[in-house]
Amino acid sequence: MKILIVEDDLNILSLLKEHLKEEGFIIDIAQNGADGEYLAILNQYDVIILDWMLPEKSGIDVLKTLREKNITTPVIMLTAKGDIEDKIKGLKTGADDYLPKPFSLQELQARIEAIYRRMVLNGQNIISIKDIVIDTDKKIVKKKSSIIDLTAQEYELLMLLVKRKNSYVSKMMIEEYLWNNEKINESNLVPVIIYHLRKNLVKIL
């Protein structure tokens, strides 16, 4: 799952980034609203974590722009503003969830996974494709009840292909998704990962 975090508090940003990366998520970050908006428009994310009070452009204004551009990526608003009126404003603007500060990292992760299931996977945490079963909560892939040992990148590539099963997925899209806009020195990395993923999925267990 690829997530964009837009947060200007460096302590919170660092905690979020490290925790979610340890849990296997692919993370992009921005420290102001203008940069966050640019990334959200440029790239495709599964979930956006968006602080309300940001320099250059507020989170609520970023959210308005995204929805006006028909970008439907699920958004979780983070804010120290705890008034019910603010919560209603955020939700009416297009936020999918709202979490006041301070918050638990575990609760935020649970909310991310719940939104991802609801918005991206049609509420499912178990995906079945012929004799292959994917548990998106545990990040486990099974074939004929036996666990397929995938690397983190192979798993994320599989999920990308599942989400875009009726769409064309280019080599550039895979590079951007898996390597987070970082420069790729080896041009054959994507074919290698595809080869190993295919080999793991088709082998008899």
Side-chain angles (χ1 to χ4, degrees):
M1 188 189 311
K2 187 166 187 175
I3 297 174
L4 172 63
I5 305 171
V6 189
E7 169 63 66
D8 65 322
D9 186 312
L10 292 179
N11 290 328
I12 294 176
L13 182 61
S14 179
L15 285 172
L16 285 175
K17 181 180 177 182
E18 293 307 314
H19 174 78
L20 294 175
K21 285 184 71 174
E22 286 177 1
E23 294 297 320
F25 298 103
I26 300 170
I27 305 297
D28 267 354
I29 62 171
Q31 293 178 239
N32 63 68
D35 288 346
E37 180 178 291
Y38 173 78
L39 288 174
I41 293 172
L42 178 68
N43 302 317
Q44 294 184 342
Y45 297 98
D46 297 306
V47 177
I48 297 172
I49 301 172
L50 181 62
D51 188 29
W52 186 304
M53 302 180 71
L54 292 166
E56 298 192 27
K57 191 170 187 177
S58 72
I60 201 74
D61 286 337
V62 171
L63 181 57
K64 286 179 182 177
T65 299
L66 297 183
R67 296 311 186 226
E68 287 170 358
K69 291 182 175 293
N70 295 317
I71 296 174
T72 59
T73 307
V75 172
I76 300 176
M77 294 289 296
L78 299 180
T79 180
K81 298 164 71 68
D83 294 340
I84 188 66
E85 291 82 5
D86 293 322
K87 182 175 182 179
I88 292 171
K89 181 178 179 181
L91 294 172
K92 283 188 173 181
T93 302
D96 299 277
D97 203 352
Y98 182 100
L99 193 59
K101 298 176 181 179
F103 55 85
S104 159
L105 291 174
Q106 288 72 26
E107 180 182 0
L108 175 60
Q109 182 179 337
R111 288 174 182 249
I112 290 171
E113 291 169 347
I115 283 181
Y116 181 71
R117 285 195 302 270
R118 185 171 71 247
M119 304 296 291
V120 181
L121 303 177
N122 298 317
Q124 304 176 75
N125 67 324
I126 302 295
I127 301 171
S128 298
I129 306 171
K130 295 185 178 179
D131 57 351
I132 294 173
V133 177
I134 306 170
D135 185 327
T136 61
D137 285 344
K138 298 178 180 178
K139 297 184 180 179
I140 292 176
V141 181
K142 292 183 179 181
K143 182 176 181 182
K144 299 177 182 177
S145 300
S146 297
I147 294 177
I148 301 175
D149 187 20
L150 298 180
T151 66
Q153 288 181 333
E154 289 168 1
Y155 176 83
E156 290 298 336
L157 173 57
L158 175 61
M159 291 306 302
L160 175 64
L161 296 175
V162 168
K163 287 181 290 183
R164 307 192 184 285
K165 60 182 178 181
N166 296 319
S167 305
Y168 173 72
V169 179
S170 68
K171 179 173 178 285
M172 183 178 296
M173 289 171 61
I174 295 173
E175 288 179 348
E176 187 275 327
Y177 190 88
L178 293 181
W179 286 282
N180 215 26
N181 296 312
E182 295 176 4
K183 184 178 180 180
I184 308 302
N185 294 321
E186 297 182 44
S187 60
N188 67 333
L189 275 177
V190 170
V192 168
I193 292 176
I194 292 174
Y195 169 79
H196 286 293
L197 175 60
R198 181 183 290 119
K199 182 178 178 181
N200 281 323
L201 293 179
V202 301
K203 68 182 180 182
I204 298 175
L205 300 175

